[in-house]
């Protein structure tokens, strides 16, 4: 089964890690989520520049940050929105010069570059999406609530994403709470018991929910939008829904680590990805939403009219950006997550 999830891990070895043959020239090193760059994009970059590309992959933000803190030699990384400020404060990223990135003009103003308190650009939006519910319509009626992932009638056929943030997000939403709630007693006494009960009916905490939906091992799952739509090609009965309580909207960014061996080449690569044709090629292959407005207005993005991928203004009102408890509730959630997984 080919990889279907941006969160799945695929370690490529040897020549397979290159966009094309990497002999005799400069090689750009990426640290990325799995299955998260269209192969043709890398091939075109190498054809246009003569620069080969290698990729390593991570499963979680903590792994990314630990590697960069150790000084790992990557040129471009793909951090999610809520870790950017923490990465900047730890001096893990270098600022980006606007005049080296003319492609910034192609971005939707809603998804501009990430500018820190020091008024410097540290990251450029890459792709965005939502985390909702995927289900097999041959077995499950269209769910309207996150409570469907807690329903015993689907016991053994449910999965949630193997991530502290995602697991707590879906439980908080199912409980009718703010995903960024700082109500520690409610998290302990209301949300955590829901998660303990849910664990008894789960098939798995799964970093690749699309694979199990395609195989039929799972009928209903928490999943990222683009992963579900790519999986539909293999199992057309799969559907995606944003529940009535709302969902998380996330943005993944492109950034250059402080330890990057070739920051100048990294900037060229980032600006290459901002080209409308390249952004559309990526979006069409990966089925996630692009922040590249020029690509959309030029009619290059096949899914631009699909409101499941590009939610309507009405739906956008119930999409939330998770802060992942980087603050006063972090220790509580960390402890409960450890207890949940070890129980």
């Amino acid at each position: 089964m080919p990889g279907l999830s941006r969160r799945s891990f695929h370690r490529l070895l040897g020549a397979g890690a290159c966009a094309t043959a990497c002999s005799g020239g400069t090689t750009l090193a990426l640290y990325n989520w799995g299955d998260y760059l269209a192969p043709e994009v890398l091939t075109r970059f190498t054809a246009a520049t003569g620069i080969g590309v290698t990729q390593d992959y991570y499963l979680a933000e903590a792994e990314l940050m630990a590697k960069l803190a150790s000084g790992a030699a990557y040129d471009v990384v793909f951090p999610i929105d809520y870790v950017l400020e923490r990465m900047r404060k730890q001096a893990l990223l270098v600022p980006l010069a606007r005049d080296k990135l003319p492609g910034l003009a192609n971005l939707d103003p809603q998804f501009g570059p990430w500018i820190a308190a020091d008024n410097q650009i540290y990251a450029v939006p890459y792709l965005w999406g939502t985390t909702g519910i995927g289900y097999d319509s041959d077995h499950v009626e269209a769910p309207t609530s996150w409570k469907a992932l807690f329903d015993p009638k689907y016991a053994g056929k449910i999965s949630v994403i193997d991530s502290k943030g995602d697991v707590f997000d879906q439980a908080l939403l199912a409980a009718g709470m703010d995903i960024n709630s700082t109500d520690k007693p409610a998290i302990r006494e209301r949300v955590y018991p829901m998660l303990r009960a849910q664990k008894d009916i789960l098939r798995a905490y799964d970093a690749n929910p699309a694979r199990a939906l395609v195989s039929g091992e799972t009928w209903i799952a928490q999943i990222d939008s683009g992963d579900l739509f790519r999986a539909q090609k293999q199992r057309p009965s799969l559907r995606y829904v944003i529940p009535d309580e709302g969902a998380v909207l996330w943005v993944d960014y492109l950034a250059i680590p402080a330890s990057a061996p070739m920051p100048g080449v990294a900037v060229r690569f980032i600006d290459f990805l901002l080209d409308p044709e390249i952004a559309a090629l990526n979006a069409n292959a990966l089925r996630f939403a692009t922040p590249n407005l020029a690509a959309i207005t030029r009619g290059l993005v096949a899914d631009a009219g699909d409101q499941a991928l590009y939610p309507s203004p009405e739906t956008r009102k119930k999409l939330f950006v998770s802060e992942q408890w980087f603050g006063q509730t972090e220790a509580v959630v960390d402890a409960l997550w450890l207890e949940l997984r070890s129980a």
Side-chain angles (χ1 to χ4, degrees):
M1 179 80 62
L4 291 165
S5 171
R6 110 188 206 278
R7 308 185 194 224
S8 61
F9 181 87
H10 297 277
R11 176 74 63 182
L12 302 181
L13 300 175
C18 298
T20 188
C22 294
S23 59
T26 302
T27 301
L28 189 74
L30 311 181
Y31 198 32
N32 195 0
W33 298 98
D35 289 333
Y36 208 40
L37 258 171
E40 188 178 346
V41 168
L42 298 182
T43 302
R44 288 196 185 191
F45 178 74
T46 299
T49 64
I51 300 168
V53 182
T54 63
Q55 292 193 79
D56 281 343
Y57 304 94
Y58 57 90
L59 282 170
E61 299 81 15
E63 186 180 357
L64 165 65
M65 294 182 68
K67 274 287 184 75
L68 296 188
S70 72
Y74 294 109
D75 297 297
V76 179
V77 294
F78 297 71
I80 197 167
D81 43 25
Y82 54 76
V83 301
L84 287 171
E85 180 59 20
R86 181 171 283 199
M87 294 177 79
R88 185 190 72 86
K89 286 183 176 179
Q90 293 181 18
L92 298 179
L93 303 177
V94 297
L96 307 175
R98 282 185 179 272
D99 61 355
K100 300 293 185 182
L101 294 167
L104 291 175
N106 296 323
L107 292 173
D108 186 330
Q110 296 181 85
F111 297 100
W114 190 80
I115 301 174
D118 60 5
N119 206 33
Q120 298 263 29
I121 294 174
Y122 283 86
V124 173
Y126 172 57
L127 291 168
W128 65 275
T130 57
T131 303
I133 295 177
Y135 65 99
D136 189 334
S137 59
D138 286 346
H139 299 285
V140 176
E141 293 184 9
T144 59
S145 170
W146 286 102
K147 294 176 183 177
L149 296 181
F150 297 79
D151 193 332
K153 72 180 178 183
Y154 302 127
K157 293 292 186 178
I158 306 169
S159 74
V160 292
I161 295 171
D162 189 10
S163 154
K164 173 190 71 176
D166 292 289
V167 168
F168 275 84
D169 284 347
Q170 51 99 35
L172 284 159
L173 289 167
M177 295 174 61
D178 187 329
I179 61 167
N180 295 310
S181 174
T182 58
D183 188 338
K184 288 186 275 190
I187 292 171
R188 286 194 198 96
E189 298 161 17
R190 184 175 171 190
V191 175
Y192 184 66
M194 291 174 59
L195 290 174
R196 286 298 303 268
Q198 183 188 52
K199 184 175 180 178
D200 292 337
I201 61 172
L202 288 181
R203 186 195 70 83
Y205 295 106
D206 197 344
N208 192 353
R211 187 209 62 81
L213 284 167
V214 168
S215 70
E217 298 168 58
T218 299
W219 291 349
I220 184 168
Q222 182 188 31
I223 192 169
D224 292 331
S225 50
D227 292 340
L228 188 284
F229 287 103
R230 293 207 312 281
Q232 271 183 331
K233 292 182 179 179
Q234 296 184 50
R235 197 175 185 99
S237 57
L238 296 181
R239 303 287 184 271
Y240 180 78
V241 65
I242 294 173
D244 290 346
E245 299 96 342
V248 172
L249 182 152
W250 49 263
V251 182
D252 284 331
Y253 285 81
L254 301 158
I256 300 177
S259 55
M262 299 186 298
V265 177
V267 170
R268 288 182 68 185
F269 180 74
I270 290 175
D271 199 58
F272 180 80
L273 294 181
L274 290 171
D275 179 275
E277 291 189 7
I278 298 303
L281 184 65
N282 230 2
N284 292 337
L286 301 177
R287 306 292 305 278
F288 285 107
T290 179
N292 197 300
L293 183 60
I296 294 172
T297 56
R298 286 172 54 181
L300 301 175
V301 180
D303 296 319
D306 189 334
Q307 291 193 0
L309 278 176
Y310 294 86
S312 67
E314 181 180 355
T315 302
R316 287 288 297 271
K317 292 176 182 177
K318 58 179 185 179
L319 299 179
F320 314 103
V321 176
S322 176
E323 296 172 2
Q324 299 283 296
W325 307 284
F326 287 166
Q328 60 179 306
T329 56
E330 183 176 9
V332 172
V333 173
D334 283 349
L336 293 176
W337 174 241
L338 181 62
E339 184 178 338
L340 180 69
R341 295 309 307 272
S342 60

